[in-house]
């Protein structure tokens, strides 16, 4: 079957998709977007988290056919810049994770980045530690003690607030 969807602001088509294929597989293998990671394939670890019509979801749990006509934003879509063929730079959340040392093996990172972006989009003011922990509860990391991840979220929140204050 053929699946038409919008990924990171661009209309795309995936051909020869079999009905039981996951959106995660389509993103990684058919559309060349390897950012979302395949870890548990059960929706438990959060490494494949994407925006699906504006709501975060585990792409391993979405059948490819369900994505027909839908909008998906992946971790690659968090980057800033001109896109297709142009220069892209890391987004605020991505930069904060790198600077805070919240990226270790990197397997959980894409899902954490998307979920953090969502938290900061929904939050008025700076989120507290408890709010951050709640928002990231569906994202498992085996390398860190989560402290640097929480530091990264605070750093990103502060930078977003600065941007909002300066009118950027």
């Amino acid at each position: 079957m053929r699946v038409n969807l919008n990924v990171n602001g661009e209309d795309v088509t995936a051909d020869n998709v079999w009905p039981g294929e996951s959106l995660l597989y389509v993103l990684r293998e058919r559309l060349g977007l390897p950012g979302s990671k395949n870890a548990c394939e059960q929706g438990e670890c959060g490494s494949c988290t994407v925006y699906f019509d504006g709501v975060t979801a585990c792409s391993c749990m979405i059948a490819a056919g369900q994505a027909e006509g839908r909008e998906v934003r992946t971790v690659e879509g968090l980057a800033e810049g001109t896109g297709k063929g142009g220069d892209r730079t890391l987004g605020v959340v991505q930069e904060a994770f790198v600077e805070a040392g919240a990226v270790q093996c990197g397997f959980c990172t894409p899902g954490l980045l998307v979920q953090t972006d969502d938290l900061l989009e929904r939050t008025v003011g700076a989120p507290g530690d408890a709010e951050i922990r709640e928002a990231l509860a569906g994202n498992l990391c085996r390398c860190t003690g989560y402290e640097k991840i929480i530091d990264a979220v605070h750093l990103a929140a502060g930078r977003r607030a600065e941007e909002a204050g300066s009118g950027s």
Side-chain angles (χ1 to χ4, degrees), residues 121-133:
E121 287 293 320
R122 292 182 292 106
T123 304
V124 177
D129 286 0
E131 190 175 4
I132 294 169
R133 288 181 187 281

Side-chain angles (χ1 to χ4, degrees), residues 49-58 114-119 122:
T49 302
V50 298
Y51 283 105
F52 189 68
D53 282 345
V55 178
T56 58
C58 291
V114 171
Q115 201 63 50
T116 296
D117 182 75
D118 182 63
L119 169 66
R122 292 182 292 106

Side-chain angles (χ1 to χ4, degrees), residues 14-158:
D15 287 316
N16 301 316
V17 176
W18 64 277
E21 207 165 286
S22 70
L23 173 60
L24 175 61
Y25 188 86
V26 168
L27 292 170
R28 290 180 56 80
E29 305 301 329
R30 301 204 182 274
L31 300 178
L33 295 167
S36 302
K37 302 301 181 207
N38 185 359
C40 72
E41 295 184 344
Q42 297 176 13
E44 295 292 329
C45 73
S47 66
C48 66
T49 302
V50 298
Y51 283 105
F52 189 68
D53 282 345
V55 178
T56 58
C58 291
S59 59
C60 71
M61 299 302 294
I62 300 169
Q66 290 177 295
E68 177 66 34
R70 308 294 278 276
E71 185 177 312
V72 176
R73 186 170 177 218
T74 68
V75 66
E76 289 94 344
L78 299 182
E80 298 171 350
T82 59
K84 198 172 184 176
D87 293 334
R88 309 257 313 155
T89 59
L90 294 179
V92 172
V93 173
Q94 294 163 319
E95 283 182 356
F97 268 67
V98 171
E99 289 180 32
V103 178
Q104 288 193 15
C105 83
F107 219 74
C108 65
T109 306
L112 285 164
L113 290 169
V114 171
Q115 201 63 50
T116 296
D117 182 75
D118 182 63
L119 169 66
L120 298 181
E121 287 293 320
R122 292 182 292 106
T123 304
V124 177
D129 286 0
E131 190 175 4
I132 294 169
R133 288 181 187 281
E134 177 68 25
L136 302 181
N139 297 80
L140 303 179
C141 177
R142 292 188 171 112
C143 296
T144 70
Y146 293 94
E147 290 306 315
K148 294 206 180 283
I149 292 168
I150 292 169
D151 292 345
V153 176
H154 285 299
L155 182 58

